[in-house]
Amino acid sequence: MALAKIVYASMTGNTEEIADIVANKLQELGHDVEVDECTSVDASDFEDADIAIVATYTYGDGDLPDEIVDFYEDLQDLDLSGKIYGVVGSGDTFYDYFCKSVDEFEAQFAITGATKGADSVKVDLAAEDEDIENLEAFAEHISKAVDAL
Ligand SMILES: Cc1cc2nc3c(=O)[nH]c(=O)nc-3n(C[C@H](O)[C@H](O)[C@H](O)COP(=O)(O)O)c2cc1C
């Protein structure tokens, strides 16, 4: 059984809910899952996981949320080869750089040597039915990827 660690940043709750949807699906698929807010953990905690997932919103003008910047910077120093990663997040299509923080984390994970388990899922504000389907499919892809290791 694989251990999935999901780390999230969320100001108004949309991303926390997204993290929970992914967590519930992974649990249903038989994995152990830990969900933590980004200021309560260190990036190096991912070294103990088989699956590393970040869920983040985007702030400012396509910026990372302030509270996840340290976590983001520390991530690039890790060797996560042999692990599966995925990124999900919430943004608002009103802004020029929709869900840019999701792309930033994708790039950062690539540096760690981890293997991408599923394409990122970007949600416009709160997850609706179609988003929930996409998030559950994301979890299924991640699960298959880790089982194939
Ligand atoms: C001041 C401000 C700036 C924002 N900038 C962006 C942005 O550049 N790109 C984007 O996709 N969303 C942006 N958003 C939208 C948030 O990412 C969106 O509301 C998201 O659902 C918040 O997630 P949370 O509920 O987990 O905090 C911005 C929101 C605020 C309040």
Side-chain angles (χ1 to χ4, degrees):
M1 187 183 294
L3 172 61
K5 287 187 183 256
I6 304 178
V7 174
Y8 70 89
S10 186
M11 192 169 51
T12 60
N14 292 336
T15 315
E16 184 176 3
E17 192 189 328
I18 286 166
D20 286 341
I21 291 165
V22 173
N24 288 340
K25 188 66 188 180
L26 285 171
Q27 264 167 355
E28 197 183 301
L29 292 166
H31 303 294
D32 287 328
V33 184
E34 294 174 6
V35 183
D36 290 294
E37 201 275 332
C38 61
T39 59
S40 67
V41 288
D42 293 321
S44 58
D45 292 346
F46 276 155
E47 289 171 342
D48 304 326
D50 306 294
I51 300 168
I53 294 175
V54 166
T56 181
Y57 66 100
T58 299
Y59 203 58
D61 192 14
D63 299 331
L64 292 170
D66 279 349
E67 67 273 24
I68 207 167
V69 169
D70 285 349
F71 189 94
Y72 171 85
E73 288 177 351
D74 292 344
L75 191 57
Q76 70 188 353
D77 297 328
L78 301 179
D79 176 4
L80 298 181
S81 44
K83 301 181 189 302
I84 298 296
Y85 79 85
V87 188
V88 293
S90 174
D92 184 340
T93 51
F94 168 82
Y95 291 90
D96 287 342
Y97 302 106
F98 175 60
C99 281
K100 185 152 177 268
S101 297
V102 169
D103 299 330
E104 304 277 8
F105 267 99
E106 279 266 3
Q108 204 75 333
F109 267 121
I111 296 170
T112 69
T115 302
K116 182 169 163 174
D119 286 339
S120 310
V121 178
K122 298 177 177 178
V123 175
D124 189 18
L125 299 170
E128 296 183 2
D129 288 352
E130 192 184 339
D131 303 304
I132 293 169
E133 282 174 24
N134 291 338
L135 290 163
E136 291 184 345
F138 168 93
E140 280 169 5
H141 278 106
I142 293 270
S143 177
K144 280 191 187 134
V146 81
D147 288 346
L149 281 179

